[in-house]
Amino acid sequence: MDSAELLKDIPFPITYYTLTAMELEDNGCYCNQPGFLSTLPAPDGSSPYEILALDCEMVILDKLVKPSNPITDYNTRFSGITYEMLSGLTTSLQDVQEDFLKLVHKDSILIGHSLENDLLALKISHDLIIDTSVLYKHPRGGSYKTALRVLAKRFLSREIQQSGTGHDSIEDARASMDLALLKIRNGKLFFSMHSHFIIGR
């Protein structure tokens, strides 16, 4: 489904839900950091993707990257990454950055959960972000963030991150996209009407 169809009949423009400059900074999405690449305007005549979901271990490209530093712990339980998966891998961060910048342009809206972590891993600066960890504010406020799996269960009636072999980046990105679209379609007060739910582990 294209972006126009996804956003048909929404009560507010989608940019209403993107993070402000202060929210970007408060959530660790610092634009134009040294050593980071910035997204560029779409080339003339191209039809850029308007809305993309991102989760590193990565969905837009679904590629593994050979780390530049030695790995001391694969953290497979959470990452899903094993020694065997990275053995013989030659794809570098620079390779993925180049591919990423062909798909994501300055006017693309990235949707995800705690995207500051994904953009930090990619060393990419981008300032049109809808972050479900901010969109669905934690009842305690401040820097608290509700886990994506908790939001997915509560609002999408969907169990995610249950495999025991690490997060599935495609599953996580789809959940983030669906949560963002649910909020966007139901308007800015949607979550505040349901904010009494219990935050579980």
Side-chain angles (χ1 to χ4, degrees):
M1 187 180 297
D2 70 7
S3 297
E5 186 63 30
L6 285 172
L7 301 175
K8 196 169 134 184
D9 301 322
I10 60 172
F12 294 93
I14 191 164
T15 52
Y16 176 86
Y17 299 95
T18 58
L19 298 182
T20 65
M22 183 170 280
E23 287 173 322
L24 285 166
E25 188 173 322
D26 287 349
N27 286 282
C29 292
Y30 302 105
C31 295
N32 304 317
Q33 290 194 75
F36 278 51
L37 299 178
S38 293
T39 51
L40 303 170
D44 288 339
S46 69
S47 28
Y49 297 104
E50 294 175 23
I51 305 171
L52 298 161
L54 174 66
D55 182 69
C56 277
E57 302 91 11
M58 271 229 347
V59 149
I60 291 173
L61 299 172
D62 201 20
K63 289 186 177 182
L64 292 173
V65 176
K66 180 180 176 68
S68 55
N69 298 322
I71 299 171
T72 56
D73 184 354
Y74 288 88
N75 210 2
T76 302
R77 179 175 159 227
F78 298 105
S79 70
I81 307 295
T82 64
Y83 169 81
E84 293 76 21
M85 292 169 76
L86 296 182
S87 180
L89 191 68
T90 59
T91 306
S92 69
L93 176 60
Q94 183 178 353
D95 296 332
V96 171
Q97 287 173 323
E98 288 173 11
D99 290 343
F100 183 90
L101 292 174
K102 289 176 189 171
L103 295 171
V104 180
H105 300 101
K106 192 163 189 62
D107 55 350
S108 303
I109 296 174
L110 283 181
I111 295 177
H113 193 80
S114 294
L115 275 175
E116 70 278 5
N117 300 314
D118 304 292
L119 294 173
L120 181 63
L122 288 167
K123 295 191 176 188
I124 297 278
S125 291
H126 187 73
D127 60 1
L128 275 179
I129 292 173
I130 296 176
D131 194 318
T132 53
S133 72
V134 176
L135 201 59
Y136 290 84
K137 296 198 182 301
H138 192 284
R140 290 184 185 163
S143 62
Y144 289 100
K145 294 183 176 183
T146 305
L148 179 60
R149 66 178 163 66
V150 173
L151 293 174
K153 185 173 185 176
R154 172 66 176 96
F155 293 103
L156 304 174
S157 299
R158 186 182 306 165
E159 296 279 346
I160 65 169
Q161 303 173 354
Q162 300 296 311
S163 72
T165 58
H167 294 198
D168 177 330
S169 58
I170 293 172
E171 176 184 64
D172 288 357
R174 283 186 179 141
S176 293
M177 177 69 84
D178 291 343
L179 283 162
L181 291 173
L182 181 66
K183 175 78 168 186
I184 291 164
R185 287 184 184 130
N186 286 285
K188 62 183 183 175
L189 297 178
F190 172 69
F191 179 61
S192 61
M193 295 183 298
H194 299 287
S195 61
H196 62 276
F197 81 97
I198 297 171
I199 304 295
R201 295 197 143 218

